[in-house]
Each structure stands twice: as C-alpha cells, then as structure tokens.
Amino acid sequence: MLKKIILISALMLGALSSFAQESGVEVDYTRPQKYIVGGLSVEGNNYFSESQIIQLTGLQKGMEITVPGDELSGIVRRLWMQRYFEDVSMEIDHLSPARDSAYLKIVIIERPRVSRWSFSGVKTGERKDLQERLSLRRGGEFSDYVEKTSSDIIKKYFAEKGFLNCKVTAEVQKDTVIRQAIRVNFAVDKGQKVKVREINFIGNDHVSDFKLAKSMKKTKSAKLYNFFKSKKFDPKEYPNDKKLLISAFNEAGYRDARIVKDSLYEIEPGRLGIDITVEEGDKYYFRDISWTGNSVYSSEALNRVLAIKPGDTYDVVTMQKRLFGGGKQTDYDVSKMYRDNGYLFFRINPVETNIQNDSVDVEMRISEGKQATLNNIIINGNDLTSEKVVRRQIFTRPGDLFSQTTFERSIREIASLGQFDPESIMSSEGYSMVPNEMNNTVDLVYNVTEKPSSQLELSGGWGGRTFVATAGVSFNNFSTHRMFEKGAWRPVPLGDAQNLAFRFQTNGTYYTALSASFTEPWLFGKKPTSLNLGAYYTRQTNSNTYLQILSHDRMMEIYGFSASLGNRLKWPDNYFVLYNGLSWQTYKLTNWYSGYFFFDDGLSHNLSYSLNLVRNSTDQQIYPRQGSEFNFSLQLTPPFSLLRKHDYDDEGNKYKVKSWRDIDYSNWTSDQRFKWIEYHKWKLSASSYLTLWKDLVLMTKAQFGYLGYYNRNWGYSPFEGFLVGGDGMSGYSTYGSDIIPLRGYENYSLTPYETTTYNSNGQYYAGNVFDKFTVELRYPVILQPSSTIFVLAFLEGGNCWSDIKNFNPFQIKRSAGVGARIYLPMIGLLGIDWGYGFDSSSIGGSQFHFIIGQQF
C-alpha cells in the first residue's frame, strides 16, 4: 500500500512540475492561478481514442481550473487508477495571447495489450477450467493487479484439488508479430498434492474418534475405513468440517462442546497431520418441551412428529431435522407438516428457556401465518415439448393450497417424463418458489431442459449363429395434433409426448420381423388415460448361411395385434396405474425344430385379456436413486377346453361326451388340441432403489411368474412359457415365450425339458414357473442429457420349474459379477456384463453377456 501511495504521489508531482516547463509558461506553486480551459489534446494514445481519454478526465472546454490545484491532481490519479496506462502526465501546451486560457495536453504511455494468454504445467482439462475462471480476453491489458489476481485464482483453484504449495509465475514476452503487444504465460508449479495422513482428536472422552472422523465430510485421514474416499486437504472445506465436528458432539448431547485449538503440520512432504483439541463440556438432556403459537395442530400432534421425550439426550441436530427437515426425503418433519397444509410462511424458533444442571427446557415458538394459494405456475425451457404435456404431468394447480409434498411429486413426475433432463430438473436450478406474503400467494417455476428422446436404430448383431440387421425408429415425443400443421414435419411433428415406433429386423431368408406401435399417454386430454396399440409379424425358417442350408421346409410365423387402456388410480395412492388390454396372436408352425415348442406342425390362436397393475415412484427413468417399482399382471384366455363336449377315437372320428372331464386328448392332433390355446398367466415384479452414499445406489429386485392351466387333461399351454438363463437376448426378437435373463449361465440353460408325443424329438422347453432375485450396486460415471454411463456389481439367483408342484423358492441357481451400462438418447440402452454361475459347471461358470434395450 505504501508503494502505491509513493507511486501516485510521484506521478502527481511529475504532472504538476510539467506545467513549469512548457512554452515558457511559469507556474508559481505558492500562488495558484485560475485559467479557462481553451482546449484539450492527447499524446501517446494507440488503443484509446482522444475523445475516450478526455471523457475520462471530466474536463470540458470553457471550464475554469486552478493551476496547480487538487482538481488536476485528482484527474491524473483517476486516469492512472484505470490501470490502462503505465504513465500519465498533464501539461500546459500553451496559453492564449491574453494569458487567461490554457490549452492542456494529456500525455500517456499505454500498457501493452496481451495478444495471447497461455498456461504451462497444467493439464488440458485444468487449462479449460482456468480459462473459465479467469475470463482473460485477447487484447486486454496486463498490469500488476491482473497478475496478482490471476495468480491468486490459479493458486486457489489448485488448492481445492489438494495442491496447497502451488506456485505461479507470470512470464511476459514481447510479441514479435503484433506491434505493441505481449504474450503472457502463467507458469504453474503445482508441487506435490497435499493429503491428510492422520487426524488426532484430543479431549474427546465420550464421543469416539470414529464418529468424529465420520462427521467430517471432506477432510479424511488415511485410515482403512476411508479407503474409497479422497484424502486431499481442501482449505475451503476445512472450516465447514470443523462445524460438522461440533455437530457430532451436539448430537450426543454436548451442547457446549467447542474446539479449543487446531493445528496443521507437515509430517513429510505432501503429507499433512491435523491435531484438533476439543472441550466436550457436560452432557445435557431434554426436560420440558412446550409449544406456543400453534392453533392448527395440537401440541400432542406436534410432539408425535418431533418424537422427543423428556429425558432424551439433548440432540440439537436431530431436533433441527425434525423441525426443519434435512434428513431423509421420506422423513416427516414439523415444517413439512405445515407446508403440506398450505402454511408456506410458517416459521418456528426453538428457544432454550431454562437450563438447570444437566436439563434443558425448550419452547417451540411458532408463527403459523396464513395459508398460501398457488398463483402462477410457470414453465420455462420447453422449446420443443408442448406446455400442456408438462402441465398435465404436474399436480400443482393455480388456486390450490400450496403443498410441499405435491410440489416435490410434480418435480419427480417431470423428471420421469422422459422428454427432459432429470438431473437438471431435480437440481436447485430446476425449480423455484416466488412467495408473496403480502397477498398470501406463491408462484411456482419449473425450469426444464429438453433432451433428445427419439431414437434411430441402425445396428447389426450376432445371434443364433447368424448376423441380424436391425433398422428402427422411435419417436418418443410424437404429436398427432400437429400432423396437419404447416412446417411441423421436420422430420415428423413433435411435442405431445406420444410414442410412434417402427422396427424391422432381418438376416435375409432365415429371419424377418416387423413391428409397429403407438402410445397416447393422455387419450382424452384431461385425465391420464393411456392408449397403447401394437402390431407385429415374425417369420423364421431353417435357411442358414452359416450351416449352408438354403431351404424353407421349416418355418415359424407369428403375427398379432394388441390394444390396451391405462388409468391412473387414486387408491391406494395416485402412483398406481391399471392397464386393461386385449391381444390376439396366431402361431403357425411348419415342420418346426423339435425340442423348442410342444409340437412341430400346426396352427394356434391366442386370444387373451390382460390386467396389469403398476406402481412406479422412482425419481427418474434411466438412473433412479430412490423409490420403487411394482408390477402385477394377469393374462387370461377363455377356458376353451371346459366348453368342449366331444372327443376323438383312435381313427380320428369325432364323437360326443357328457363332460370336458371325459375327454382323452391322447388321440387329438396338434391342430385339434391347440387350435385355441388356453392359460392363465401370473407375473409379479418388485424392485426398490436406495441411495447409500452420494450417487451410489442399491437396487434390489424380486420376480415371479406362473403359467397355469384350467384343465389338467388339456395341460399347460405350448406357448407363453418362460425361458430362463443367459442375457435375455437371442439376437433377434421372438414371441411365444418370456425370456428371463439370469447372468452367469448360458441362454435358456435353466429351463427344464418335458416329454411330448407331438414332436419328433420327444421333448420341449417346459418353463412354467420361475423366480428370480437380484441385488445390484450402481455408481454413475457420467450423468448428462447426451449420455448416461454407470457401472454395477450384482448378485443374482433364480430357477425355473415345469410344474407348480415342484416349485421351491430356495432352490435357486446363484451368480455374481460386474457390468456397465451406457444410455444414448439416439440408440437406447447398451451394456455388457460378466457373470459367474456358481451352481452348475456345465451351464454356468464364466459368462459374458451383452445387453441392448433392457434392464435386468
């Protein structure tokens, strides 16, 4: 500071002294004289225009000035403080003939401009971060101030990364190409990263070292239990960790705990030791808890939410969480209790009214305020998706009372919609409240970020010893409403969150599949009634270029149509959706491969009604961190065999019987017996998601399926069974069976065989009952709208049985392994898993599995 004062004084003195040296104009410092400014000129300017510099002085022609005087000294000081100039002086160029007007000249030396800023000693990513933080621009000036502030920002940046001894040197070079320009390079010597080796707590007699160390979120020692956590020392986070340390004592009842002193010292280069001396004080307990100002809820109701009784440890941290929130999202607190009833302006202040010995009396002073009504519901950022799509998804309506739970539910619904970035809407920038306590209203703002949702699939895969080409397109934000709107076909009308999908697969003559589907999530516009339509055709033959077979004497054709309606329920809660559907399928087998289905030749029809009860409370689709999924489905066909009253003799002649119980199907052909297949199919799936630490998520899932029959004489259905084992992929789409993946085993290897007289092989896949249990640990690598990548480790078990009588939920085949998932909006979900099956050496062991478009 002293150097700056001396420098400014020298500049002022030089400026004033120049008045006595020009054009014979003598300045008597003991007798200041007044002049009229006759004119102004500038000398030495290259980057600034003359008018810009004169404007900075504030002088104008015709003004009266005193030479020498404080006004001129202030002008010189003001110009120099701009930091654009290395030197500033002011001279009297000449006087008027009458010697009453002075013509002033401002002489400046501009600082050289920087033509290039650079950094050395840093990585590419660090260079980009520094450029964003410093905001240095080409053509800017370089001064001592710029050098110091830039160096401080660089040091602070690397200190946050654990490089506490970082050194920065500004290297200035003259630009040989651009005149009066320089190049500035910040040479960074990061030094060795400083990590915490040990943290010693002194004076904690009743709270363990482990609990204290755990309470410090960012400052961690090199203990074994911190193996997966960063040990770098961040001076920015350290003060906050000391506060959390005191909170650990407060949580144990030590309200007077304080840090007496703390010291940081170097154990060895790059390794830091921390000693923290604490004074615990006495342990306190709650004695009396009273409530004042509460009229909406009784003191008894509030005490039930607070859940603190006289004699409990005086845990201030838990009390704060139960009053104001901040614990788990599922926990209830007093503030949320009031906010869910509209009392947005509710306030509560816990006051210690009496402290006697080790007991504390607390009075909860409440200001309930008035109930807040929702005023404006504002949606920002939906550049493509129609606003009505977002509005129908949320539960907040203008005129309703404010509810915290409803507001949080609306955010979750937007995140799970699929059209917007879930990470963005669930962050603090994704929503806001604008309360107006004067008129007891609140505006809610949802800031959504569009993400690509349509998918184009052009791929090839290997399955069934053949190459399969796939072409498909799925428009997940389609709009039939805009089909006749001019300019909407770019390439298709979008914006109403409808789904229109087409898919084609083939490898030539062996396999061909076509499918089309359409989903309208809000059929009638005002209620969440969804319409789902689908049609498909599949053909497989025995033509196989790998086996050099070019023939069509074996063929399986499946075609069908399905339609369903879904309705959101209000009971048990509005997370439930009930779907009712009808479907029709036709299976045509011509000399098909033995051992796959119950028969080789024949035509079967499948007319079924399905009921599906779904509950989904997850926070988002791709990488859920909390919530659960529940799915119960029942699929029924008419009991055709119970309506029959005829049989066939050994020669195939038809004759009548009294009851369906008298029918012997041993003389029936496959066409006669399975023309109309019958079954009742039950499936149950339940999964939950729990955040363990940061974004580390535990996923647990249980599944069960049963294919039943109406008539034991007729038996199980030849189609619609379960194929268990492997990755759940056959290289191509198929119908007729539910493929259940179980990693660590070969495809379908856990599916049992049963005997049959209807095919030449004498046996077929007979998976009629299955169960499966999965536990996964997931951790994200990238969570961006453009891509989502996460890794996982899993434990899995399951099995399959041919008859419900043999079902044993504990007789499972176990496996474990690791994997990764990549979600790309234009392609969908891709993944790879390695699993090891423990319970069968022939079909288990080490297995790699590839995943496209499915979750396990």
Side-chain angles (χ1 to χ4, degrees):
M1 187 66 186
L2 180 60
K3 288 182 180 180
K4 285 187 176 180
I5 294 173
I6 294 172
L7 181 58
I8 292 172
S9 302
L11 286 169
M12 291 168 56
L13 183 60
L16 292 173
S17 64
S18 66
F19 286 111
Q21 301 169 4
E22 297 296 325
S23 303
V25 178
E26 295 183 2
V27 177
D28 188 348
Y29 292 99
T30 62
R31 297 178 60 189
Q33 297 185 34
K34 293 185 178 181
Y35 296 97
I36 302 298
V37 177
L40 294 163
S41 62
V42 179
E43 183 180 290
N45 57 309
N46 293 305
Y47 299 106
F48 289 92
S49 66
E50 183 175 282
S51 60
Q52 285 177 311
I53 296 174
I54 293 174
Q55 190 176 7
L56 288 173
T57 66
L59 293 173
Q60 293 181 1
K61 188 176 179 180
M63 290 179 60
E64 186 178 75
I65 59 171
T66 301
V67 179
D70 293 338
E71 185 177 8
L72 292 179
S73 300
I75 290 171
V76 173
R77 187 189 311 113
R78 186 161 60 248
L79 287 173
W80 190 84
M81 291 295 288
Q82 298 296 320
R83 300 192 180 92
Y84 298 131
F85 314 110
E86 288 185 348
D87 192 17
V88 180
S89 65
M90 187 174 290
E91 303 172 353
I92 296 179
D93 189 53
H94 62 276
L95 298 176
S96 65
R99 304 185 67 83
D100 59 347
S101 297
Y103 291 83
L104 305 179
K105 180 166 63 175
I106 305 166
V107 182
I108 61 172
I109 299 177
E110 292 180 327
R111 294 186 187 277
R113 296 306 173 97
V114 181
S115 61
R116 180 183 176 187
W117 301 92
S118 61
F119 304 89
S120 60
V122 300
K123 299 177 181 177
T124 303
E126 295 170 341
R127 183 179 294 109
K128 291 180 179 179
D129 291 342
L130 291 174
Q131 288 170 345
E132 291 177 1
R133 292 198 180 196
L134 294 173
S135 300
L136 297 172
R137 59 182 179 84
R138 292 183 62 183
E141 73 286 343
F142 183 71
S143 63
D144 294 339
Y145 173 79
V146 173
E147 179 182 359
K148 184 179 185 309
T149 54
S150 299
S151 298
D152 289 344
I153 292 173
I154 295 171
K155 290 177 182 178
K156 184 178 179 182
Y157 170 78
F158 283 106
E160 293 173 2
K161 292 180 171 289
F163 297 98
L164 302 184
N165 301 318
C166 176
K167 297 178 181 178
V168 180
T169 304
E171 299 173 343
V172 181
Q173 269 187 331
K174 186 177 180 180
D175 196 314
T176 58
V177 178
I178 302 175
R179 188 172 63 89
Q180 289 187 335
I182 59 173
R183 296 181 178 183
V184 178
N185 175 65
F186 290 102
V188 179
D189 180 8
K190 293 187 286 188
Q192 191 174 4
K193 181 177 282 190
V194 177
K195 295 184 178 181
V196 180
R197 170 171 289 184
E198 60 183 40
I199 302 176
N200 302 310
F201 301 103
I202 304 165
N204 55 313
D205 299 326
H206 301 92
V207 182
S208 67
D209 288 358
F210 176 75
K211 184 174 182 179
L212 295 178
K214 188 179 178 182
S215 69
M216 302 177 75
K217 300 301 182 185
K218 299 294 183 180
T219 309
K220 300 292 183 181
S221 65
K223 296 285 188 181
L224 185 61
Y225 50 74
N226 291 326
F227 183 78
F228 294 103
K229 297 177 181 178
S230 173
K231 318 302 185 302
K232 72 176 183 181
F233 180 76
D234 189 345
K236 182 180 176 182
E237 297 291 343
Y238 181 58
N240 186 55
D241 276 342
K242 289 194 290 184
K243 293 179 181 178
L244 294 174
L245 182 70
I246 295 300
S247 294
F249 283 103
N250 296 156
E251 199 171 357
Y254 296 92
R255 65 180 292 275
D256 299 329
R258 65 188 184 94
I259 296 177
V260 178
K261 66 176 181 178
D262 65 296
S263 57
L264 287 74
Y265 54 92
E266 190 176 61
I267 299 175
E268 60 182 57
R271 294 298 177 264
L272 199 66
I274 303 176
D275 290 344
I276 302 178
T277 304
V278 297
E279 186 179 285
E280 288 183 334
D282 297 327
K283 186 173 183 178
Y284 290 83
Y285 302 87
F286 284 101
R287 186 171 65 179
D288 181 60
I289 300 174
S290 58
W291 303 81
T292 61
N294 54 307
S295 60
V296 179
Y297 298 105
S298 66
S299 298
E300 290 76 14
L302 296 173
N303 276 326
R304 283 195 294 271
V305 177
L306 188 63
I308 294 176
K309 304 183 296 296
D312 286 353
T313 298
Y314 188 66
D315 181 356
V316 180
V317 176
T318 300
M319 180 181 71
Q320 296 282 341
K321 289 179 180 179
R322 293 175 184 173
L323 289 176
F324 305 104
K328 295 180 180 179
Q329 190 169 358
T330 54
D331 292 346
Y332 209 49
D333 56 78
V334 173
S335 292
K336 194 171 185 178
M337 184 179 181
Y338 269 93
R339 285 177 168 233
D340 279 351
N341 198 14
Y343 290 92
L344 176 62
F345 309 111
F346 160 85
R347 295 180 181 85
I348 183 169
N349 182 28
V351 178
E352 297 175 346
T353 56
N354 187 26
I355 301 174
Q356 187 174 357
N357 297 327
D358 62 352
S359 301
V360 181
D361 295 339
V362 180
E363 183 178 84
M364 307 294 181
R365 298 176 181 175
I366 293 176
S367 173
E368 294 177 333
K370 294 183 178 180
Q371 289 174 301
T373 304
L374 299 181
N375 185 25
N376 296 314
I377 309 298
I378 302 168
I379 299 166
N380 297 322
N382 54 313
D383 303 323
L384 178 64
T385 305
S386 173
E387 187 168 311
K388 70 178 182 181
V389 173
V390 185
R391 291 196 177 276
R392 71 193 186 190
Q393 201 75 10
I394 60 180
F395 288 78
T396 50
R397 302 284 187 270
D400 290 352
L401 286 177
F402 174 80
S403 169
Q404 182 71 29
T405 298
T406 302
F407 184 40
E408 292 172 358
R409 171 72 186 279
S410 298
I411 295 170
R412 191 203 74 86
E413 288 295 324
I414 295 175
S416 62
L417 187 60
Q419 314 304 328
F420 308 108
D421 177 24
E423 299 298 325
S424 176
I425 186 63
M426 299 190 74
S427 69
S428 59
E429 297 178 356
Y431 55 88
S432 62
M433 292 188 293
V434 185
N436 188 336
E437 200 165 358
M438 296 295 292
N439 57 12
N440 299 308
T441 61
V442 59
D443 294 342
L444 300 183
V445 182
Y446 300 99
N447 300 311
V448 300
T449 302
E450 295 269 9
K451 72 170 187 177
S453 58
S454 297
Q455 297 176 5
L456 174 65
E457 182 181 3
L458 295 171
S459 62
W462 184 262
R465 292 183 176 181
T466 181
F467 180 82
V468 181
T470 302
V473 62
S474 176
F475 301 105
N476 297 323
N477 199 6
F478 190 72
S479 173
T480 55
H481 178 73
R482 301 183 60 207
M483 289 180 64
F484 302 102
E485 183 180 315
K486 186 178 179 180
W489 289 84
R490 297 182 180 178
V492 295
L494 300 173
D496 284 348
Q498 299 167 341
N499 177 269
L500 179 65
F502 301 95
R503 200 164 189 262
F504 173 72
Q505 282 186 304
T506 186
N507 80 323
T509 58
Y510 170 66
Y511 171 75
T512 301
L514 292 166
S515 66
S517 64
F518 173 76
T519 300
E520 165 56 80
W522 288 66
L523 181 59
F524 303 111
K526 294 183 179 180
K527 292 185 179 181
T529 300
S530 63
L531 171 66
N532 304 278
L533 302 174
Y536 48 87
Y537 170 78
T538 299
R539 185 192 69 181
Q540 286 180 249
T541 70
N542 62 325
S543 177
N544 195 313
T545 55
Y546 180 83
L547 300 176
Q548 297 183 348
I549 299 174
L550 299 176
S551 173
H552 294 80
D553 59 335
R554 297 177 185 268
M555 184 181 297
M556 176 181 71
E557 292 181 282
I558 304 174
Y559 46 91
F561 174 81
S562 63
S564 66
L565 288 174
N567 293 279
R568 181 183 289 166
L569 305 180
K570 294 182 179 180
W571 185 90
D573 61 34
N574 56 14
Y575 285 106
F576 280 93
V577 179
L578 181 66
Y579 294 92
N580 292 273
L582 289 173
S583 67
W584 163 73
Q585 285 178 315
T586 294
Y587 304 91
K588 184 179 179 181
L589 304 183
T590 304
N591 191 28
W592 192 238
Y593 292 102
S594 297
Y596 198 89
F597 291 117
F598 193 81
F599 58 90
D600 296 339
D601 286 279
L603 184 70
S604 293
H605 301 286
N606 179 6
L607 178 64
S608 66
Y609 161 77
S610 61
L611 182 146
N612 199 349
L613 182 63
V614 178
R615 185 184 190 274
N616 186 342
S617 63
T618 57
D619 57 344
Q620 56 173 284
Q621 291 180 341
I622 306 302
Y623 191 79
R625 295 179 177 84
Q626 60 185 11
S628 62
E629 293 177 284
F630 172 83
N631 192 322
F632 167 76
S633 67
L634 172 61
Q635 189 173 359
L636 304 167
T637 65
F640 297 107
S641 69
L642 302 184
L643 305 177
R644 295 186 182 123
K645 291 187 178 181
H646 66 274
D647 201 348
Y648 293 93
D649 59 22
D650 294 340
E651 297 179 357
N653 298 313
K654 185 178 180 180
Y655 64 93
K656 292 185 178 181
V657 293
K658 292 183 179 180
S659 169
W660 57 268
R661 294 184 178 89
D662 300 325
I663 299 176
D664 181 5
Y665 286 98
S666 60
N667 294 325
W668 291 52
T669 65
S670 59
D671 279 338
Q672 294 168 341
R673 182 173 178 178
F674 301 115
K675 182 178 182 180
W676 292 96
I677 63 174
E678 61 179 49
Y679 60 87
H680 51 91
K681 187 175 183 179
W682 307 73
K683 291 195 295 183
L684 179 65
S685 174
S687 57
S688 67
Y689 301 87
L690 176 66
T691 301
L692 300 178
W693 173 75
K694 291 187 177 180
D695 288 326
L696 179 65
V697 174
L698 174 67
M699 188 278 286
T700 57
K701 186 173 185 177
Q703 294 173 264
F704 171 79
Y706 170 56
L707 181 69
Y709 53 78
Y710 300 110
N711 179 356
R712 178 166 281 276
N713 290 336
W714 190 86
Y716 287 103
S717 168
F719 303 101
E720 299 300 323
F722 308 103
L723 300 176
V724 180
D727 52 27
M729 294 172 57
S730 58
Y732 43 82
S733 298
T734 186
Y735 296 95
S737 300
D738 284 6
I739 299 176
I740 311 300
L742 204 157
R743 292 162 286 188
Y745 296 91
E746 296 178 1
N747 286 352
Y748 316 153
S749 60
L750 300 181
T751 309
Y753 283 95
E754 287 292 336
T755 59
T756 176
T757 59
Y758 286 100
N759 68 40
S760 58
N761 194 39
Q763 60 181 5
Y764 70 102
Y765 281 126
N768 297 316
V769 188
F770 87 94
D771 66 0
K772 179 185 171 184
F773 308 95
T774 304
V775 177
E776 275 188 4
L777 275 177
R778 300 176 173 181
Y779 193 77
V781 178
I782 297 176
L783 293 176
Q784 298 293 338
S786 57
S787 63
T788 298
I789 303 176
F790 63 90
V791 294
L792 59 90
F794 67 87
L795 296 173
E796 205 158 63
N799 210 343
C800 187
W801 297 266
S802 60
D803 197 292
I804 189 67
K805 294 180 179 179
N806 303 323
F807 173 64
N808 183 350
F810 304 105
Q811 186 185 9
I812 61 174
K813 305 297 184 181
R814 301 163 299 169
S815 66
V818 295
R821 298 289 183 274
I822 302 175
Y823 177 81
L824 302 174
M826 288 296 292
I827 299 175
L829 187 69
L830 306 173
I832 182 173
D833 288 323
W834 172 82
Y836 188 89
F838 297 106
D839 295 311
S840 178
S841 58
S842 60
I843 60 176
S846 178
Q847 302 281 341
F848 281 95
H849 305 287
F850 297 92
I851 299 95
I852 299 178
Q854 64 178 344
Q855 295 274 19
F856 279 96

